[in-house]
Amino acid sequence: MRKNYTISGPDTEAAVDSLIDEVSLLPGTQGVEVDVAAGVMAVTGENVSDVQVLDAAEAAGFTLGGDLAL
């Protein structure tokens, strides 16, 4: 399954690497692609919850847009 998220946060390479690392550590995650310029992150995997992705993104200094940010 592939889910797309709207993201906002720092645009440094180190920050993006941290985001990818944090989300990649989630059980079931098979891939993470981030396009900071477009403000989009795609997560591929099985049984990865939106809450887990939100928590991982926040740990890396990012926020998710839309309803997930509530």
Side-chain angles (χ1 to χ4, degrees):
M1 174 185 297
R2 180 181 172 110
K3 289 186 176 182
N4 296 311
Y5 299 92
T6 303
I7 60 167
S8 61
D11 61 358
T12 65
E13 186 175 335
V16 173
D17 287 346
S18 178
L19 174 61
I20 292 170
D21 289 346
E22 289 287 338
V23 176
S24 293
L25 290 173
L26 298 174
T29 301
Q30 298 169 344
V32 180
E33 298 172 27
V34 176
D35 183 341
V36 175
V40 176
M41 175 175 65
V43 178
T44 306
E46 296 297 325
N47 300 319
V48 180
S49 75
D50 292 336
V51 172
Q52 290 174 307
V53 174
L54 175 63
D55 289 344
E58 287 179 347
F62 288 79
T63 56
L64 299 183
D67 294 338
L68 297 176
L70 299 176

